[in-house]
Amino acid sequence: MGSMKVHQFARGFWDQQHEPSLTLGCKRLRPLAPKLATTDTTSPTHAVPPAFDLKSFIRPESGPRKLGSSDDKRDSPQVETHPGGTRWNPTQEQIGILEMLYKGGMRTPNAQQIEQITAQLGKYGKIEGKNVFYWFQNHKARERQKQKRSSLGLSHCPRTPAPITTISLETRGELEREQEDSPYKRKCRSWGFESLEEESRSCKEAEGDRTLELFPLHPEGR
Amino acid sequence: MGSMKVHQFARGFWDQQHEPSLTLGCKRLRPLAPKLATTDTTSPTHAVPPAFDLKSFIRPESGPRKLGSSDDKRDSPQVETHPGGTRWNPTQEQIGILEMLYKGGMRTPNAQQIEQITAQLGKYGKIEGKNVFYWFQNHKARERQKQKRSSLGLSHCPRTPAPITTISLETRGELEREQEDSPYKRKCRSWGFESLEEESRSCKEAEGDRTLELFPLHPEGR
DNA sequence: GCAAATTAATGATTTATTCAAG
DNA sequence: CTTGAATAAATCATTAATTTGC
């Protein structure tokens, strides 16, 4: 497409900032690029990110910190086996609230809503924004899927797919009926990335100023 | 650019106690069998939270700020939506770099990579992280699409989809060869939300060394 | 009664499809 | 028409309930 005057940009593209110490390298925390699965993410010796500094996280046994982030974990009433959190495991309360919201008509919450939901649900257990987002995505998809299958199997009831109990949700009368199928609405979700800060979490409040809510992503699959 | 610290959390939105006064079983008994019988009566026990202010979600009329809720919201007053444009308009330099990276084998950059790419591309024009992400998504999809159509029309050479020049992108020696088709690799992307501020888009980079930032959102479409 | 194997459910990602701006 | 942006569908991966064997 066009004239690319990229120079030798690609060469030191990633090195520009990695220069300093070795801690900046990716930690294997948020791998998004398909890094050929080695079928064994458990072994820290593998799961090597494109970075060069493996030793910084190869074995955090020395004391840096574990995945479980021993700093705060008191938020989960039911301790259970919370091994650092591989994936979100919702509590009954959380599910209840989410379902309520869903029934209330919420389909795809935007960033602000997700933020609030997450904040609220966080009182009942560890949770991140993405969990909320995914939950809605999955729930919506699976409800539809279930319904479709049901209608197929029963071939009945073309109308009123669901009675919709309408829980006491009539906050002020105007509740948006749940729009079964969402016909593509142009929405824009906010986007954000956090540049993981693994062990830097400790100096979180040291700065005093930067309090943006970065959700500390879960470490990695076991 | 565009990073700002959002101090304002969900201040007092649903601030209410989160006493575990309702958990009898404490554990979450997940019904393994789906309740297909009744349409969406999926609330097993429905450990209803003490006080859940659902109306705040559905209709945050009393909230400090407006929610992009789906009820009466249409085009939220977030007019600032596009400081300069509704959607990203890449420059030649940006495209060139992106294509170079793509040819180099990059398919789905992770958060850090996106962050860095964005930072670099930002030198040539306004850009956000999501733009980078979307670009890769779209480019990949369309390349494949184009290729498929081409092969269909020509019925020729189903192999060797792209020569792939493999530019010198060897970041650290271990560049994974272009993973043609990524057959689902388990990955986790970082997630973050920023609580957008209407007016505080003052992109001041007074931060200094910290490279961690949230990309300012882009309020909402339409 | 407990623990390993099975299986259903579902959280998390990727891919395909669609809409709309320029 | 091209392509950025967003959503829905497909599907991988992991957890918890259930079953099974001792």
Side-chain angles (χ1 to χ4, degrees), chain A residues 1 86-87 89 140 144 182 184 187-189 222:
Chain A
M1 288 238 216
T86 309
R87 78 176 193 184
N89 205 20
K140 177 168 54 175
R144 182 176 301 175
S182 61
Y184 264 77
K187 271 177 67 176
C188 242
R189 184 167 54 256
R222 296 189 108 86

Side-chain angles (χ1 to χ4, degrees), chain A residues 99-100 103-104 161-170 175 177-178, chain B residues 38-43 46:
Chain A
E99 281 183 349
M100 195 159 34
K103 285 185 183 176
I164 303 169
T165 332
T166 309
I167 52 182
S168 54
L169 223 254
E170 67 322 47
L175 169 64
R177 248 340 124 151
E178 59 183 73
Chain B
T38 55
T39 52
D40 192 48
T41 325
T42 51
S43 46
H46 225 188

Side-chain angles (χ1 to χ4, degrees), chain B residues 30 32-34 87 107 137 140 144 182 184 187-188:
Chain B
R30 183 163 51 117
L32 193 136
R87 71 180 199 182
R107 276 172 51 109
Q137 290 271 105
K140 177 170 55 175
R144 182 176 299 177
S182 60
Y184 270 75
K187 206 63 79 355
C188 31

Side-chain angles (χ1 to χ4, degrees), chain A residues 41-89:
Chain A
T41 44
T42 351
S43 60
T45 53
H46 244 204
V48 46
F52 43 89
D53 177 33
L54 281 293
K55 54 179 77 70
S56 73
F57 68 89
I58 277 187
R59 229 348 191 208
E61 61 190 351
S62 302
R65 69 175 215 74
K66 227 59 89 31
L67 306 179
S69 67
S70 52
D71 48 301
D72 65 304
K73 163 108 46 144
R74 82 286 182 280
D75 52 6
S76 49
Q78 72 282 11
V79 186
E80 296 197 14
T81 45
H82 199 50
T86 309
R87 78 176 193 184
W88 172 53
N89 205 20

Side-chain angles (χ1 to χ4, degrees), chain A residues 18-158:
Chain A
H18 290 180
E19 200 52 35
S21 59
L22 26 130
T23 54
L24 214 170
C26 24
K27 319 272 180 43
R28 70 116 139 163
L29 272 293
R30 300 137 228 236
L32 188 138
K35 268 39 188 329
L36 47 103
T38 49
T39 69
D40 184 24
T41 44
T42 351
S43 60
T45 53
H46 244 204
V48 46
F52 43 89
D53 177 33
L54 281 293
K55 54 179 77 70
S56 73
F57 68 89
I58 277 187
R59 229 348 191 208
E61 61 190 351
S62 302
R65 69 175 215 74
K66 227 59 89 31
L67 306 179
S69 67
S70 52
D71 48 301
D72 65 304
K73 163 108 46 144
R74 82 286 182 280
D75 52 6
S76 49
Q78 72 282 11
V79 186
E80 296 197 14
T81 45
H82 199 50
T86 309
R87 78 176 193 184
W88 172 53
N89 205 20
T91 63
Q92 281 291 51
E93 294 89 345
Q94 291 174 332
I95 292 292
I97 293 172
L98 287 169
E99 281 183 349
M100 195 159 34
L101 290 169
Y102 184 84
K103 285 185 183 176
M106 189 173 281
R107 269 185 2 147
T108 311
N110 60 22
Q112 308 153 68
Q113 291 173 311
I114 288 177
E115 192 186 325
Q116 292 177 81
I117 296 169
T118 304
Q120 183 63 20
L121 265 49
K123 295 179 177 179
Y124 303 102
K126 206 179 187 75
I127 189 172
E128 291 179 72
K130 67 172 188 177
N131 305 128
V132 174
F133 176 76
Y134 286 143
W135 188 90
F136 276 97
Q137 290 270 107
N138 282 320
H139 198 69
K140 177 168 54 175
R142 282 168 178 146
E143 281 295 314
R144 182 176 301 175
Q145 185 180 115
K146 197 171 293 185
Q147 186 179 306
K148 178 177 287 185
R149 181 166 301 189
S150 181
S151 72
L152 250 161
L154 296 172
S155 71
H156 197 21
C157 186

Side-chain angles (χ1 to χ4, degrees), chain B residues 145-196:
Chain B
Q145 186 180 116
K146 194 172 294 183
Q147 183 181 302
K148 176 176 288 184
R149 194 161 47 193
S150 181
S151 72
L152 246 162
L154 295 173
S155 69
H156 185 41
C157 187
R159 288 243 138 274
T160 65
I164 300 168
T165 332
T166 309
I167 55 181
S168 56
L169 211 251
E170 75 314 87
T171 55
R172 248 133 295 267
E174 178 128 58
L175 166 66
E176 17 243 291
R177 273 312 137 168
E178 74 293 339
Q179 48 261 25
E180 285 307 321
D181 277 350
S182 60
Y184 270 75
K185 260 74 180 278
R186 210 59 339 216
K187 206 63 79 355
C188 31
R189 175 156 68 254
S190 71
W191 258 72
F193 293 103
E194 72 261 44
S195 60
L196 71 158

